[in-house]
Amino acid sequence: MNALFNQLKAHVSKRITISDDAMEYFASLAEVKHLKKRQRLLEAGSVSRIQTYVNKGSLRLFYTDEKLHDHLVQWGFEDWWVADLTSFLTGEPAQYSIDALEDCELLIFQHDQIEALYVKFPVFERYFRILIQNAVVAAQKRIIVGMSENAEERYLRIIKKFPQIEARVAQHQIASYLGISPEALSRLKRALIERERGRKS
C-alpha cells in the first residue's frame, strides 16, 4: 500500500483493529479522483452510491432552495468522509450537491464495493457503522445548536472547532453554514472586534 493511503489507514486504525490484508484490500477498492476548486462531485437529483474520503483539500455538501440560494450543510476537510447518506443508503435521488471548496484529492468508494467488503472483512461493517453513528450525532447536535444559540454563539463555536476555517473557506460560505447573510456575518465580526478593543482599552 503506497503513501497515498497512509492517512486513511490511520483514520481506520483509530476506530477498529485492522489487519494489513484487510487494509490493503480496502485501499484497492478506492478510485483516486482529483477535483479543481468549484468542480462538482455530486449533483442534487442524481442517485449517489459513493462514499468520499478527503485525502487533500476540502468539499462542501449543500442544499439549493427554490430561489436558487445555496445552504451549506457540511464541509469536509482532510481526513473527513463526505456523502449524501440518504441517497447512498436508500438509492433515492440526492437532496444535496457536493463540490470542491479547494483543489481536492479524493478517494471514492462505491456502494456495491463496500457491501462486498463487509462480506470479505466484516470488521469494516463496524467501521462504517461508527462513521454513520457519528454523522447522526453531529446532525442532531447541530439542530439543537441552531435552535438554542444565536448567530454570534454559532460563529464562535465553529471558529473554536475549526480554527483554520477562515483561512480556507470564503466568508459567504461560512455565512451560509451559519444561516445568515454575508452582510450579517460582517456586522457580527465587526461587533466582536470592537468589543475586544473595548476590553483592552
Side-chain angles (χ1 to χ4, degrees), residues 134-147:
N134 290 343
V136 171
V137 169
Q140 291 191 342
K141 286 183 177 179
R142 188 175 175 200
I143 290 170
I144 296 297
V145 166
M147 293 188 296

Side-chain angles (χ1 to χ4, degrees), residues 6 8 21-22 40 63-65 70 72 74 83 113 127 132 134 146 148 161 165 175 200:
N6 286 344
L8 177 60
D21 286 347
R40 194 65 58 95
Y63 170 74
T64 304
D65 65 23
D70 292 344
L72 197 154
Q74 177 195 350
Q113 292 177 320
Y127 171 68
I132 292 171
N134 290 343
S148 63
K161 187 174 182 180
I165 196 73
K200 292 179 178 178

Side-chain angles (χ1 to χ4, degrees), residues 25-26 29 49 51 88-90 109-122 124-125 128 132:
Y25 182 77
F26 183 40
L29 301 178
R49 302 294 265 173
Q51 288 268 18
F88 176 79
L89 294 171
T90 68
F109 296 85
Q110 300 290 333
H111 180 274
D112 291 347
Q113 292 177 320
I114 291 175
E115 289 295 324
L117 176 70
Y118 295 160
V119 175
K120 190 173 181 68
F121 294 103
F124 274 102
E125 192 157 15
F128 278 98
I132 292 171

Side-chain angles (χ1 to χ4, degrees), residues 14-37:
K14 288 177 185 176
R15 290 154 181 85
I16 58 173
T17 301
I18 189 76
S19 68
D20 289 342
D21 286 347
M23 191 63 216
E24 288 277 358
Y25 182 77
F26 183 40
S28 75
L29 301 178
E31 172 197 352
V32 180
K33 188 176 185 69
H34 293 89
L35 291 185
K36 293 294 185 182
K37 185 177 180 178

Side-chain angles (χ1 to χ4, degrees), residues 30-196:
E31 172 197 352
V32 180
K33 188 176 185 69
H34 293 89
L35 291 185
K36 293 294 185 182
K37 185 177 180 178
R38 298 188 183 89
Q39 190 174 351
R40 194 65 58 95
L41 177 66
L42 172 65
E43 194 77 51
S46 61
V47 174
S48 177
R49 302 294 265 173
I50 61 170
Q51 288 268 18
T52 302
Y53 177 80
V54 183
N55 217 33
K56 295 178 183 176
S58 59
L59 297 174
R60 66 165 181 157
L61 181 143
F62 63 98
Y63 170 74
T64 304
D65 65 23
E66 294 178 354
K67 296 180 180 179
L68 302 182
H69 296 148
D70 292 344
H71 302 273
L72 197 154
V73 176
Q74 177 195 350
W75 39 55
F77 298 104
E78 292 89 356
D79 204 30
W80 287 37
W81 288 88
V82 179
D84 183 312
L85 281 176
T86 300
S87 187
F88 176 79
L89 294 171
T90 68
E92 297 174 358
Q95 294 181 305
Y96 301 106
S97 299
I98 300 173
D99 66 11
L101 291 170
E102 303 171 302
D103 292 352
C104 291
E105 179 181 79
L106 310 172
L107 304 178
I108 307 293
F109 296 85
Q110 300 290 333
H111 180 274
D112 291 347
Q113 292 177 320
I114 291 175
E115 289 295 324
L117 176 70
Y118 295 160
V119 175
K120 190 173 181 68
F121 294 103
V123 67
F124 274 102
E125 192 157 15
R126 180 169 184 269
Y127 171 68
F128 278 98
R129 176 172 55 80
I130 291 169
L131 295 183
I132 292 171
Q133 285 175 342
N134 290 343
V136 171
V137 169
Q140 291 191 342
K141 286 183 177 179
R142 188 175 175 200
I143 290 170
I144 296 297
V145 166
M147 293 188 296
S148 63
E149 295 185 352
N150 61 34
E152 179 181 315
E153 290 168 329
R154 298 197 304 275
Y155 170 73
L156 292 174
R157 177 186 288 271
I158 66 167
I159 294 303
K160 182 178 180 180
K161 187 174 182 180
F162 308 109
Q164 81 276 35
I165 196 73
E166 295 204 283
R168 299 184 61 180
V169 176
Q171 290 297 292
H172 71 276
Q173 300 288 3
I174 296 174
S176 175
Y177 184 81
L178 292 170
I180 61 177
S181 68
E183 293 78 15
L185 178 58
S186 293
R187 290 193 297 271
L188 186 159
K189 292 174 69 175
R190 282 198 301 271
L192 288 171
I193 291 170
E194 290 171 4
R195 191 185 308 161
E196 185 62 24

